[in-house]
């Protein structure tokens, strides 16, 4: 007698019942599968199904990571702007992201939940959480504050509109808006803009 090794397949409704989701949430996760790595589905007749073991492994990994917004809440922040900036220029002890929503552009950093909690629990009480580069006076980099520089205004606007993006992505956007500035200068301007937003 041959043992049936066909993996167990579940419909969306069965996944919802087995893993505590509602079907609307599962539909959103499936729609965003290119970004979140949702396992592939297969049609059985007219019904879309998923390998139960693949889904369970993916869900376990997803539950073990947190977003910048969740990390910010662990640290007592009302928004995740500081966490996003710290991902680009980490303060001492700040954990490295373990995944990205968009890895190619390093957008949407995610952290291991345990590592984030450990950082929140052991962070020095004197730390003010001003952000990456704390302790350096605004404008101390390279002896310039870029006062009245339209590039600084543009950088602050980009950071406000896209707080989760990396410095490289901010630089790309800014170069499209104001071409002709080197990436190293844009980096200085972006870091100054971030410091000013924390004051």
């Amino acid at each position: 007698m041959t043992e049936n090794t066909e993996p167990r397949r579940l419909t969306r409704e069965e996944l919802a019942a087995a893993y505590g989701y509602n079907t609307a949430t599962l539909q959103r996760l499936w729609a965003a599968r290119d970004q979140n790595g949702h396992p592939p589905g297969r049609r059985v007749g007219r019904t879309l199904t998923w390998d139960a073991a693949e889904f369970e492994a993916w869900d376990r990994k997803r539950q073990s990571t947190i977003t910048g917004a969740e990390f910010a809440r662990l640290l007592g922040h009302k928004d995740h702007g500081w966490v996003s900036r710290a991902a680009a220029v980490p303060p001492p002890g700040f954990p490295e992201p373990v995944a990205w929503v968009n890895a190619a552009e390093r957008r949407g950093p995610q952290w291991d939940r345990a590592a984030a909690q450990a950082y929140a629990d052991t962070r020095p009480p004197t730390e003010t959480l001003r952000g990456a580069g704390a302790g350096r006076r605004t404008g101390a980099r390279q002896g310039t504050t870029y006062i009245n520089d339209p590039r600084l205004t543009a950088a602050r606007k980009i950071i406000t509109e896209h707080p989760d993006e990396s410095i490289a992505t901010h630089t790309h956007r800014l170069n499209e808006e104001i071409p002709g500035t080197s990436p190293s200068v844009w980096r200085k301007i972006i870091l100054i803009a971030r410091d000013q937003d924390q004051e």
Side-chain angles (χ1 to χ4, degrees):
M1 183 175 179
T2 303
E3 184 179 350
N4 183 9
T5 58
E6 179 70 17
R8 185 168 66 108
R9 304 198 68 83
L10 300 177
T11 65
R12 181 172 286 131
E13 290 72 19
E14 290 169 333
L15 288 175
Y19 295 97
Y21 289 99
N22 61 51
T23 55
T25 297
L26 289 177
Q27 286 173 333
R28 285 195 297 272
L29 291 169
W30 173 246
R33 59 191 177 277
D34 288 344
Q35 287 77 44
N36 63 32
H38 191 296
R42 188 177 79 193
R43 291 202 175 274
V44 177
R46 298 179 61 183
T47 304
L48 196 57
T49 66
W50 290 267
D51 182 313
E54 285 183 359
F55 184 89
E56 182 173 354
W58 170 79
D59 186 56
R60 187 182 305 115
K61 181 179 178 182
R62 196 177 80 87
Q63 297 293 342
S64 72
T65 59
I66 62 173
T67 65
E70 292 172 295
F71 198 169
R73 284 194 290 272
L74 286 179
L75 297 170
H77 284 278
K78 293 181 180 178
D79 65 71
H80 59 280
W82 183 87
V83 171
S84 299
R85 287 185 282 276
V89 186
F94 190 81
E96 286 284 326
V98 295
W100 300 82
V101 172
N102 184 330
E105 297 183 11
R106 292 179 66 81
R107 293 176 55 186
Q110 297 177 333
W111 287 266
D112 176 78
R113 186 181 298 276
Q117 186 65 63
Y119 176 77
D121 292 343
T122 60
R123 180 169 41 90
T126 56
E127 185 179 335
T128 61
L129 293 181
R130 287 185 57 216
R136 289 177 290 187
R137 291 181 297 105
T138 299
R141 299 178 181 87
Q142 303 299 313
T144 178
T145 60
Y146 296 95
I147 292 174
N148 298 324
D149 191 321
R151 295 175 298 180
L152 181 59
T153 303
R156 294 185 70 182
K157 181 172 182 288
I158 289 291
I159 290 167
T160 299
E161 292 175 351
H162 307 280
D164 288 333
E165 292 185 346
S166 66
I167 289 178
T169 305
H170 284 152
T171 299
H172 177 73
R173 289 182 183 277
L174 288 163
N175 265 329
E176 289 183 339
E177 185 175 330
I178 307 175
T181 298
S182 72
S184 62
V185 171
W186 272 129
R187 180 179 178 83
K188 294 172 194 172
I189 293 171
I190 290 167
L191 290 173
I192 290 169
R194 287 177 172 179
D195 277 355
Q196 289 182 349
D197 285 346
Q198 288 295 305
E199 294 184 340

